[in-house]
Amino acid sequence: MTHSATYTQKPRRARGRGPARRAARTLAFVLPVMLVLSGTLAVTRVNWSGGSSDSVLTASSQDVSARAKSRAPQDVLRDRLLVELQEKDPGTALTHLQQEIDQRPSLAKYCMSIAKSLGRAAVQAYGPARAQSYARPVCDTSFASGVAGFRA
């Protein structure tokens, strides 16, 4: 008994597969996206106001920079008090911290972290012994714990 194996191949279809078809599909997807993006960017770069030709800023970059400049009130207060600590002394900064907390009670939840930051900065500026001499009972003595917890 002789077994002869006959292998029949299915006829290949010319459509649907192949590198040319894949490249065409990719191009058909990418090309409109690129055209829309380049057209959008070109329109935003045009100075439509008719004003100075030097100011070529896009609308989106103006919005982003305006949002980036706005900072939380507690961060502004912390930075202002740290500068005051450097220019004057920690006692003045702690007094102004207490006054700010009394004027704006919404900042009370940040009082401990701000006072600790002031304590750490005081150790860097004045050393641990002198910084500790400025300690006051502001925000549950967080300034003192900032001084004590700082390792120079």
Side-chain angles (χ1 to χ4, degrees):
M1 182 150 103
T2 311
H3 293 285
S4 64
T6 56
Y7 295 102
T8 59
Q9 287 185 334
K10 293 182 181 178
R12 290 189 97 173
R13 289 191 284 172
R15 292 186 183 177
R17 295 195 176 108
R21 179 79 174 187
R22 273 181 289 202
R25 281 188 176 178
T26 303
L27 188 61
F29 175 73
V30 171
L31 188 60
V33 172
M34 292 302 295
L35 289 173
V36 168
L37 286 177
S38 64
T40 303
L41 293 175
V43 168
T44 59
R45 298 283 300 173
V46 173
N47 186 5
W48 295 100
S49 65
S52 172
S53 62
D54 294 332
S55 64
V56 184
L57 294 174
T58 61
S60 62
S61 68
Q62 289 174 353
D63 294 342
V64 169
S65 64
R67 276 186 248 130
K69 288 181 183 175
S70 64
R71 296 176 51 210
Q74 66 271 12
D75 296 333
V76 173
L77 177 62
R78 176 181 288 116
D79 292 345
R80 188 177 53 129
L81 291 174
L82 287 170
V83 168
E84 189 173 341
L85 182 139
Q86 297 295 325
E87 292 175 352
K88 296 180 182 173
D89 61 52
T92 306
L94 285 172
T95 300
H96 289 150
L97 173 62
Q98 187 63 53
Q99 290 171 352
E100 286 289 329
I101 299 301
D102 292 341
Q103 289 175 359
R104 298 191 317 191
S106 62
L107 293 174
K109 59 184 170 185
Y110 305 105
C111 185
M112 291 178 67
S113 68
I114 294 172
K116 265 189 171 175
S117 298
L118 291 173
R120 291 185 200 115
V123 170
Q124 287 181 326
Y126 299 100
R130 188 167 172 212
Q132 188 64 38
S133 69
Y134 289 103
R136 296 190 185 160
V138 177
C139 306
D140 297 327
T141 65
S142 294
F143 177 82
S145 68
V147 169
F150 184 78
R151 303 284 179 228

